[in-house]
Amino acid sequence: MNKYKRILLKLSGEALAKDGNTIDPNTLSQVIDIIKSVLRQKIEIGIVVGGGNIFRGAKLAQAGINRVTGDHMGMLATVINALAIGDACKRANINAIVMSGFPIGGGVCDTVDHNKAKQALSAGKVVIFSAGTGSPCFTTDTGAVLRAIEIEADVVFKATKVDGVYTDDPIKNSKAIRYKILSFNEAIEKKLQIMDTTAFALCREHNLDICVFSMLKNIETLSDILNGKPSGTIISTLNNSKGV
Ligand code: UDP
């Protein structure tokens, strides 16, 4: 019996970029492997993808672009990434639909509709959500939590470059310890860079756990976690942190 029935996977846009490619084909294949391993376990999967490999509103604002326009550009960047993942799914014979947080039209993709998304997930399709929350001044992490609540996902899986949350940067400090469990209050107090405060606060309010895991380590990691093997860091409403 699986611990989870439906999960929401948050992929950053930057995770897709590699070796000078904005969207790296090998990384796309890796994403497909992850999706396949989840589906194999009869777990439904929704995905929220970021756009940091193309545009981020805050960075564009530094270059003089209006912040709201920059955020619109950032959200459109996430649509580009979602279309690439949707296309990779189709090529791998995985049934997938792409939805955007604002209407796009022209047959590019659907607009987010939580009922349609839940129906698609129940039918075994992968739903790829883009355009974050659909509004400027938010991040796709907050978008991921919002969509997870809408589709009634059991957990948010956040793919990062390291295999969890550490007491210090594990790349610079070999003595850094990985947290097994952290509370949202601790995550907010420690100003962890894993997700923004709005995303943490929304999860805390809706009692939705986040599992931080490494997408780079090996594709079995998520599979292991889904099978109940300890890996990564769980951020939840629990009060006390636990080191590994
Ligand atoms: N964005 C936004 N509203 C949202 C989600 C994203 O305006 O609800 C914009 C924002 O400019 C952000 C960009 O889209 O910088 C790309 O998203 P994000 O930085 O979260 O991508 P990631 O870091 O996950 O690649």
Side-chain angles (χ1 to χ4, degrees):
M1 181 77 178
N2 286 322
K3 192 173 169 193
Y4 305 115
K5 187 176 178 295
R6 180 177 289 167
I7 66 166
L8 190 293
L9 173 66
K10 165 68 209 305
L11 293 174
S12 76
E14 257 166 25
L16 296 178
K18 206 177 158 195
D19 300 334
N21 294 317
T22 307
I23 302 174
D24 178 60
N26 293 328
T27 313
L28 266 188
S29 307
Q30 206 181 354
V31 171
I32 295 300
D33 288 343
I34 289 178
I35 295 171
K36 277 185 181 163
S37 80
V38 174
L39 293 176
R40 255 198 310 272
Q41 294 180 60
K42 306 263 178 275
I43 295 171
E44 296 165 13
I45 176 168
I47 298 176
V48 166
V49 64
N53 54 328
I54 305 173
F55 286 128
R56 281 207 172 96
K59 199 145 182 236
L60 292 170
Q62 283 170 13
I65 290 185
N66 173 277
R67 176 61 199 260
V68 174
T69 305
D71 280 344
H72 289 157
M73 292 166 73
M75 284 189 278
L76 287 169
T78 73
V79 178
I80 294 172
N81 287 333
L83 291 173
I85 297 173
D87 181 75
C89 282
K90 286 195 181 86
R91 280 183 280 129
N93 290 320
I94 298 169
N95 231 327
I97 51 169
V98 176
M99 291 186 174
S100 159
F102 48 65
I104 293 190
V108 176
C109 63
D110 293 350
T111 306
V112 170
D113 175 323
H114 70 108
N115 281 321
K116 273 192 195 157
K118 283 193 284 188
Q119 272 168 18
L121 289 163
S122 300
K125 291 184 188 169
V126 178
V127 181
I128 305 155
F129 295 102
S130 62
T133 61
S135 296
C137 304
F138 289 102
T139 65
T140 49
D141 282 344
T142 300
V145 176
L146 176 63
R147 299 303 169 221
I149 294 166
E150 286 182 312
I151 62 167
E152 298 172 63
D154 302 313
V155 65
V156 174
F157 276 93
K158 160 97 178 169
T160 64
K161 285 180 183 162
V162 284
D163 61 345
V165 183
Y166 281 76
T167 49
D168 196 4
D169 185 344
I171 297 160
K172 292 183 191 145
N173 179 359
S174 61
K175 292 200 175 113
I177 297 168
R178 178 166 58 88
Y179 291 107
K180 199 172 167 187
I181 302 176
L182 263 176
S183 71
F184 288 115
N185 288 344
E186 285 168 308
I188 293 168
E189 274 160 29
K190 290 179 201 295
K191 295 190 172 60
L192 296 177
Q193 302 295 308
I194 300 294
M195 275 193 169
D196 56 274
T197 314
T198 315
F200 282 142
L202 205 52
C203 275
R204 184 177 55 189
E205 201 180 320
H206 291 265
N207 210 3
L208 180 68
D209 288 359
I210 299 170
C211 179
V212 181
F213 77 105
S214 166
M215 182 170 133
L216 299 179
K217 210 173 175 191
N218 61 57
I219 66 131
E220 297 309 323
T221 319
L222 179 57
S223 226
D224 282 353
I225 300 170
L226 293 172
N227 280 314
K229 287 189 198 144
S231 188
T233 299
I234 297 275
I235 311 175
S236 80
T237 40
L238 291 169
N239 289 321
N240 301 314
S241 62
K242 252 199 235 169
V244 166

